[in-house]
Amino acid sequence: MKKNLLIPAVFTIAIIATRCGSGNTETNTASNNSTAADSSKTTMSTAELDSTRGVGKFTSVELTHPLDQGLVAKGKAIYELKCQSCHKLTTDKLVGPGWKDVTKRRKPEWIMNFVTNTDEMIDKDPHAQAMLEECMVRMPNQHLSDDEARQILEFMRNNDGDK
């Protein structure tokens, strides 16, 4: 059954990747210049972070220090299964944005709301809508549980150097 789904998924990703990279050079250059300017804003102010919890049930997420390496390992496994075909662990965009420093740009609540409530976030959250405009591809709902969302968050924190 998984092999039957793999071929259409790979085909779809290939089409999406091709469409994201297509267009004339003039348009792509303007887009790249805009992205370069935006990359200097890797950290949001405290006021911006406080107002960007996203849309969903997560209104408060308590972060632990040190990181729970068991959760990090489980998050890595989920990333490898469901996320790495579209997201790199660097700042480089693949199909979706790169994950490096995402925990410095987004609140934990926003991240967990986005990965568990993807469709509503894209429909209602201005930051999710801006990412859609940039990537031109709507992230599919991965149907992550709350526990899996936390595991992904911990993996992202680890990727960003949080200890």
Side-chain angles (χ1 to χ4, degrees), residues 67-84 87 89 99 111 115 144-159:
L67 288 175
D68 180 329
Q69 291 303 313
L71 293 178
V72 171
K74 289 177 181 177
K76 180 180 181 188
I78 295 166
Y79 167 80
E80 290 171 348
L81 179 67
K82 295 187 173 193
C83 310
Q84 78 176 357
H87 299 280
L89 295 178
W99 278 11
I111 293 168
V115 300
L144 296 179
S145 70
D146 294 355
D147 289 339
E148 290 170 322
R150 182 57 187 248
Q151 293 160 5
I152 286 290
L153 173 64
E154 296 307 301
F155 177 67
M156 288 176 165
R157 290 177 62 207
N158 187 71
N159 186 56

Side-chain angles (χ1 to χ4, degrees), residues 30-42:
S31 175
N32 288 342
N33 289 342
S34 172
T35 303
D38 292 342
S39 67
S40 65
K41 300 177 185 177
T42 58

Side-chain angles (χ1 to χ4, degrees), residues 5-74:
L5 295 175
L6 182 61
I7 292 171
V10 170
F11 183 71
T12 302
I13 291 169
I15 289 172
I16 291 168
T18 303
R19 291 185 71 198
C20 279
S22 68
N24 66 36
T25 307
E26 196 172 302
T27 301
N28 286 340
T29 303
S31 175
N32 288 342
N33 289 342
S34 172
T35 303
D38 292 342
S39 67
S40 65
K41 300 177 185 177
T42 58
T43 306
M44 299 176 82
S45 72
T46 304
E48 288 174 311
L49 283 172
D50 287 343
S51 68
T52 56
R53 290 193 174 104
V55 179
K57 64 180 157 187
F58 295 102
T59 58
S60 179
V61 175
E62 294 296 321
L63 300 180
T64 60
H65 292 89
L67 288 175
D68 180 329
Q69 291 303 313
L71 293 178
V72 171
K74 289 177 181 177

Side-chain angles (χ1 to χ4, degrees), residues 72-140:
V72 171
K74 289 177 181 177
K76 180 180 181 188
I78 295 166
Y79 167 80
E80 290 171 348
L81 179 67
K82 295 187 173 193
C83 310
Q84 78 176 357
S85 61
C86 294
H87 299 280
K88 291 185 178 187
L89 295 178
T90 64
T91 57
D92 297 330
K93 178 182 158 194
L94 190 55
V95 175
W99 278 11
K100 184 68 178 154
D101 292 332
V102 70
T103 61
K104 296 175 183 170
R105 295 188 308 269
R106 302 282 181 237
K107 290 184 71 77
E109 295 83 2
W110 191 96
I111 293 168
M112 291 183 65
N113 280 324
F114 188 74
V115 300
T116 60
N117 192 29
T118 308
D119 295 323
E120 189 172 12
M121 283 282 288
I122 292 172
D123 291 343
K124 296 180 180 177
D125 182 81
H127 298 285
Q129 290 169 349
M131 284 192 322
L132 176 60
E133 284 183 31
E134 180 182 331
C135 295
M136 304 288 290
V137 178
R138 189 176 183 96
M139 182 173 131

